[in-house]
Amino acid sequence: VQLQASGGGLVQPGGSLRLSCAASGRTFSSLDMGWFRQAPGKEREFVAAIRKSGGSTPYSGSVKGRFSISRDNARTTVYLQMNSLKPEDTAIYYCAATGRGLITSTMTLERMYDYWGQGTQVTVSS
């Protein structure tokens, strides 16, 4: 599976961005998808995930209510809509995929994902 993330950039606090992650190499509808991020000097952390069916979308507490994950199986793409961005959202954002068929409690775990994109930089600054 190849994952290509895009959509990052520089945005002011309070602004919005939409990240995209295009997948190829395997039937997209068989993959659970996730977004993770890594800020400078910090470990990579979970942001959001979505089941292959489009249901069960856990979010980290720091983004819940501001970010929204969705997928378009026809376009083999997963999205992360990010609203009300804060400086602390600054990070490299990675999309990830797995065909394991995760239960909800494991969708937040980095080690459960087998395929990773290259990351896209998001910088929130005035």
Side-chain angles (χ1 to χ4, degrees):
V1 176
Q2 292 78 48
L3 302 174
Q4 181 70 42
S6 62
L10 174 64
V11 63
Q12 292 187 341
S16 297
L17 280 176
R18 187 176 80 156
L19 305 184
S20 299
C21 176
S24 61
R26 179 169 172 169
T27 303
F28 183 71
S29 58
S30 70
L31 299 171
D32 295 329
M33 303 294 295
W35 285 98
F36 292 76
R37 68 185 182 185
Q38 186 168 21
K42 295 187 178 181
E43 293 187 351
R44 191 155 57 184
E45 65 175 2
F46 170 78
V47 175
I50 187 166
R51 285 194 181 285
K52 55 188 177 183
S53 63
S56 186
T57 55
Y59 294 90
S60 75
S62 61
V63 307
K64 196 169 186 179
R66 300 187 297 122
F67 290 13
S68 177
I69 188 171
S70 62
R71 65 189 295 157
D72 184 336
N73 285 353
R75 296 181 181 272
T76 67
T77 301
V78 63
Y79 303 98
L80 185 68
Q81 178 67 43
M82 306 186 295
N83 299 326
S84 302
L85 282 160
K86 304 175 181 180
E88 51 263 43
D89 294 318
T90 295
I92 299 173
Y93 284 71
Y94 298 90
C95 62
T98 179
R100 302 188 193 197
L102 304 180
I103 59 175
T104 302
S105 61
T106 62
M107 294 178 75
T108 63
L109 302 177
E110 184 176 339
R111 67 178 185 270
M112 300 304 292
Y113 292 84
D114 301 305
Y115 309 102
W116 291 84
Q118 86 289 357
T120 185
Q121 175 72 47
V122 172
T123 303
V124 185
S125 175
S126 55

